[in-house]
Amino acid sequence: MSQVDGIANLAASRMILKTSLENSRALASALDSTGQRLEGMKQRLPSLEAAVRHVPRKKCTFAAIREHIDRAIGPAAAVLKVYDIIQDLQKSLLSHPCSDLSTYLLMVKQLEESLKFLADNCGLAIQWLEAVLEFLEDNEVHDDLYVLNVNKSLSIMQELQATEKHARLGGGILCAAFDKLEVEFRQILVENCFCVVLDSFSSSIRKQASIAPSPLPVAAIQKLQVIIERLDADNRLEKCISTYVEVRCLNTMRSFQALDLNYLNQSPDEFDDVQDVERYVDQWCKHLQLAVKQVFETEYKLCSDVFEKNGPEVWMDCFAKIVTQSGILSFLRFGKKITGCKNDPVKLMKLLDIFATLDSLRVDFSRLFGGSACIEIQTMTRDLLKGVVNGACEIFWELPIQVELQRRSSPPSDGSVPRLVSFVTDYCNHLLGDDYRPLLTQILTIQQSWKQEKCQEELVANQIYHIIKQIGLNLDAWSKAHYDLTLSYLFMMNNHCHFCSLKGTNLGVMMGDSWLKAHEQGSVGDLVKKRLKSFNEEFDHMYQKQSNWVVPCEDLRLRMCKLAVQAYVPVYRSHLQNYEFHQAETDASPSRHLKYTAQGLEAMLCSLFPAKAKQVWQLQAQPFDW
């Protein structure tokens, strides 16, 4: 136990002892006063009995009055006997319940029964004494002594009859005993309060079953139950509940101190940056699960155990007060604050995290907070869920628009991949992952059901396609913004390579192999085309110049042509094979880039250096036809 908890427990114990001492003093004073009053009554009762007994023998000649007096004497004698019992119980109740709770409760019960018996017998005696007095008055008996004795006896009985009522009032013997039981109730709770050790690093919080052991020993719960039963009989149940809620709330809040929940009370304006929001939401998700599964689950079970005999309405109301005062509403208000923050892509991820947490706790919320006592919690939870769903959908549907708005910005001056392209592709990969895609699909489906719209399949995939399409349009616009044609080619090649690197990722799998291959050709096609164009220009220039050269010796000419063919044609053919492979996938009109076939190139090289002008063989460039 920490030093802080030890000091807190000592302070609580000191308060309980001080209250107990004050109640004991008040009880002793009340007992002294009551005892003196009853002692005086006791001293007067024998003379009352004697006086009543001699009334019919001395003066009254009416036989009817004897029956009334005899009937009054019986209850009066019973009053004398029960008085002795009450006096003994008063002395015994000066002790504290903690010494022997069961015995103390038994004495309280006996005192209640004795006081009730006293009041009942006094009531019977009063009836018969009133009948005697009425008889004397009706028969005009003017003996003042007899009438005075009867009136005195009647007054004593009436005062004794009010003993039970006075015992229950402040300062009365029963009231003081009940006060002591309330102090003992608090003491048992305080002595058995232990902070729940919250493991915020547990990876099994979402998966584990909600089985929380009772934090109080069975013997302590049984003591609390018998005290509640006794106090409930005296209409003091509300005081028990308020004491229980107070003590358990303090214990719960001490458990939460280890989590540092100050961020729950911060406003969105106090968040420094997006990273703060991300960190706080991550903490919120873990802390809410800990609060529900470890703290509130414990309080739910304990309320059920302690107030079991009072019915579910009582203990669920008690539980609702504890969780409300302990901070469940602060958790829900924080989630609502996040839904009201400025929309951005990161917020969508955090809203999905909040939804995932609420969805994982849905069964727990329904069981713990499903009663009528938790209406406020239910209302705030529904509002939070509605804000999360609508907020996430709004951001998701606006993503293509936000990408399109970036089209007016300038591309990187060095031809590198724009930050937006990297961010969007990484972002889409996360949305398509196993963690977020099912949640996003579920949220979109929920919103459609609220709007009574037909659920469309592959909502997430279709929207991602639309986002990537906007990225492609942005790249086309940005490539034209480069005045240097070579830099523009480099810019597009870098971005094509970036898309090629998505192979095997969630986004790459969704877009498909044909999309990836298209970007592979986009990454090399421009360079191939540029090289072919350069080769064609150089070859044309060389051929035009050397085709006029003459080698009269045919053998020499053929050897020279053969060497030229061996030097150029194999390399050109190999190059064309690679080019044809890519062109078949990307270019609908490959003849625009392929000016010569390998065979045509060989024929042109073989026609060089003719011996005579009339033997010149000019082979026109033959376009390559697929």
Side-chain angles (χ1 to χ4, degrees):
M1 180 182 295
S2 66
Q3 185 177 2
V4 176
D5 290 339
I7 294 174
N9 289 336
L10 286 175
S13 300
R14 179 179 178 276
M15 182 187 68
I16 292 172
L17 291 174
K18 182 179 178 182
T19 304
S20 177
L21 181 59
E22 291 174 353
N23 288 337
S24 297
R25 289 172 178 170
L27 177 60
S29 176
L31 288 174
D32 289 341
S33 175
T34 304
Q36 293 172 4
R37 201 163 57 247
L38 291 176
E39 185 64 31
M41 295 178 184
K42 180 181 180 182
Q43 292 175 359
R44 293 197 298 271
L45 284 174
S47 61
L48 169 65
E49 182 181 9
V52 172
R53 287 183 181 278
H54 288 101
V55 169
R57 296 172 184 170
K58 291 182 178 181
K59 297 293 182 180
C60 189
T61 58
F62 301 99
I65 197 174
R66 182 177 301 170
E67 180 182 355
H68 292 297
I69 293 175
D70 289 340
R71 291 180 177 177
I73 290 174
V79 167
L80 291 175
K81 295 178 180 179
V82 78
Y83 172 77
D84 292 331
I85 298 175
I86 291 174
Q87 271 196 323
D88 292 337
L89 289 172
Q90 286 177 329
K91 295 176 182 178
S92 300
L93 288 174
L94 287 174
S95 63
H96 198 275
C98 64
S99 58
D100 190 345
L101 180 60
S102 59
T103 301
Y104 192 89
L105 288 169
L106 180 61
M107 289 189 296
V108 172
K109 182 179 180 181
Q110 290 175 346
L111 178 60
E112 285 186 293
E113 293 174 348
S114 299
L115 289 171
K116 186 177 185 305
F117 183 79
L118 176 67
D120 292 343
N121 280 274
C122 286
L124 291 174
I126 288 171
Q127 291 179 9
W128 296 115
L129 288 173
E130 288 176 343
V132 170
L133 188 61
E134 183 180 356
F135 183 86
L136 293 174
E137 291 176 352
D138 291 344
N139 290 275
E140 298 181 353
V141 176
H142 300 294
D143 191 322
D144 294 338
L145 181 59
Y146 295 139
V147 174
L148 180 62
N149 286 336
V150 173
N151 281 326
K152 186 183 296 184
S153 301
L154 185 61
S155 177
I156 292 173
M157 288 298 169
Q158 289 173 339
E159 188 174 351
L160 285 172
Q161 188 183 33
T163 302
E164 181 185 17
K165 180 180 179 182
H166 294 316
R168 295 183 182 278
L169 298 177
I173 178 62
L174 273 179
C175 180
F178 291 145
D179 288 343
K180 282 193 171 186
L181 287 174
E182 288 178 351
V183 172
E184 177 66 9
F185 184 80
R186 177 186 288 272
Q187 180 70 20
I188 294 172
L189 282 173
V190 171
E191 289 178 350
N192 291 277
C193 276
F194 301 98
C195 295
V196 177
V197 179
L198 300 177
D199 181 11
S200 59
F201 300 100
S202 175
S203 60
S204 59
I205 293 176
R206 295 188 181 184
K207 300 178 182 178
Q208 68 183 4
S210 299
I211 303 175
S214 177
L216 265 64
V218 175
I221 293 177
Q222 291 174 345
K223 288 181 180 180
L224 294 175
Q225 287 177 334
V226 294
I227 293 177
I228 291 171
E229 184 179 6
R230 183 73 268 153
L231 294 176
D232 187 20
D234 194 55
N235 298 319
R236 290 197 177 204
L237 180 61
E238 284 301 319
K239 186 63 182 296
C240 288
I241 292 176
S242 64
T243 299
Y244 182 88
V245 170
E246 176 191 348
V247 174
R248 293 307 302 176
C249 277
L250 289 173
N251 187 72
T252 298
M253 287 187 282
R254 282 201 297 268
S255 298
F256 283 149
Q257 285 177 357
L259 299 180
D260 188 14
L261 301 177
N262 293 329
Y263 68 91
L264 293 178
N265 299 319
Q266 289 185 256
S267 65
D269 296 336
E270 296 177 286
F271 299 152
D272 293 333
D273 49 35
V274 176
Q275 284 71 28
D276 276 347
V277 177
E278 292 184 81
R279 184 175 71 256
Y280 289 147
V281 171
D282 291 342
Q283 290 179 338
W284 181 89
C285 293
K286 295 177 182 177
H287 293 166
L288 181 60
Q289 291 184 71
L290 289 169
V292 173
K293 289 187 174 292
Q294 295 189 22
V295 178
F296 297 145
E297 178 70 35
T298 297
E299 297 304 325
Y300 181 86
K301 188 177 188 306
L302 187 58
C303 283
S304 173
D305 292 340
V306 173
F307 294 95
E308 178 184 9
K309 297 180 180 179
N310 302 95
E313 184 176 348
V314 171
W315 66 259
M316 290 188 72
D317 181 67
C318 182
F319 169 72
K321 291 177 180 177
I322 292 174
V323 295
T324 300
Q325 296 179 25
S326 297
I328 182 65
L329 299 183
S330 297
F331 278 100
L332 298 176
R333 290 192 190 100
F334 177 84
K336 189 65 175 175
K337 290 176 191 174
I338 297 300
T339 64
C341 291
K342 182 181 178 181
N343 284 351
D344 60 53
V346 175
K347 178 183 173 182
L348 172 58
M349 296 287 193
K350 295 301 103 182
L351 291 178
L352 292 176
D353 289 338
I354 292 175
F355 179 82
T357 300
L358 293 175
D359 190 56
S360 69
L361 295 173
R362 180 163 43 89
V363 175
D364 300 282
F365 266 62
S366 178
R367 179 172 51 86
L368 298 179
F369 313 126
S372 58
C374 297
I375 291 296
E376 185 177 9
I377 298 175
Q378 297 168 21
T379 301
M380 290 189 66
T381 303
R382 283 193 295 267
D383 289 344
L384 172 57
L385 183 62
K386 184 177 180 180
V388 169
V389 170
N390 289 334
C393 290
E394 181 181 356
I395 296 173
F396 184 64
W397 294 127
E398 287 182 353
L399 287 176
I401 299 175
Q402 297 300 321
V403 172
E404 182 182 359
L405 291 175
Q406 300 300 315
R407 197 170 299 164
R408 303 169 187 171
S409 61
S410 300
S413 59
D414 58 359
S416 61
V417 178
R419 182 175 178 274
L420 176 68
V421 175
S422 301
F423 174 81
V424 169
T425 52
D426 290 343
Y427 187 79
C428 291
N429 262 323
H430 280 90
L431 288 182
L432 292 170
D434 294 337
D435 291 334
Y436 287 123
R437 184 169 185 169
L439 295 173
L440 190 52
T441 302
Q442 188 177 354
I443 282 180
L444 295 172
T445 304
I446 290 174
Q447 191 189 54
Q448 284 188 319
S449 67
W450 288 348
K451 295 180 178 181
Q452 297 183 344
E453 296 178 355
K454 184 179 180 181
C455 181
Q456 302 176 11
E457 295 183 1
E458 296 299 327
L459 287 171
V460 176
N462 292 338
Q463 187 72 348
I464 297 297
Y465 275 121
H466 194 26
I467 294 171
I468 298 302
K469 178 182 178 182
Q470 294 301 320
I471 283 289
L473 295 175
N474 284 10
L475 290 175
D476 289 340
W478 290 336
S479 67
K480 297 175 183 177
H482 286 292
Y483 296 104
D484 189 322
L485 187 61
T486 303
L487 182 60
S488 176
Y489 285 149
L490 177 65
F491 171 75
M492 291 303 294
M493 287 171 60
N494 286 334
N495 284 278
H496 286 308
C497 286
H498 174 74
F499 287 123
C500 290
S501 68
L502 297 175
K503 186 175 183 179
T505 65
N506 297 319
L507 180 59
V509 171
M510 190 202 78
M511 296 301 294
D513 289 339
S514 60
W515 182 81
L516 291 170
K517 289 180 180 179
H519 284 289
E520 287 178 1
Q521 299 149 16
S523 63
V524 298
D526 290 335
L527 183 59
V528 170
K529 294 171 187 176
K530 188 175 181 181
R531 288 178 176 177
L532 284 174
K533 182 180 179 181
S534 177
F535 174 80
N536 291 337
E537 291 175 354
E538 291 295 329
F539 182 79
D540 288 342
H541 176 69
M542 181 273 296
Y543 184 79
Q544 290 176 2
K545 182 173 65 173
Q546 296 185 15
S547 62
N548 294 322
W549 295 357
V550 176
V551 178
C553 179
E554 183 66 13
D555 291 338
L556 177 61
R557 186 186 74 82
L558 292 176
R559 287 199 300 271
M560 292 176 61
C561 290
K562 184 177 180 181
L563 290 173
V565 170
Q566 291 176 348
Y568 287 100
V569 174
V571 176
Y572 186 73
R573 181 178 289 109
S574 176
H575 189 74
L576 286 186
Q577 288 176 351
N578 293 332
Y579 174 73
E580 290 170 2
F581 174 77
H582 294 293
Q583 277 306 108
E585 298 289 336
T586 61
D587 198 340
S589 180
S591 60
R592 291 185 294 111
H593 307 291
L594 284 177
K595 190 173 184 181
Y596 303 108
T597 64
Q599 294 83 356
L601 183 66
E602 182 177 357
M604 292 182 69
L605 290 174
C606 291
S607 67
L608 288 173
F609 317 124
K612 296 180 180 180
K614 63 178 181 180
Q615 295 176 337
V616 173
W617 178 27
Q618 294 183 348
L619 178 64
Q620 299 296 328
Q622 298 295 324
F624 182 72
D625 190 5
W626 285 91

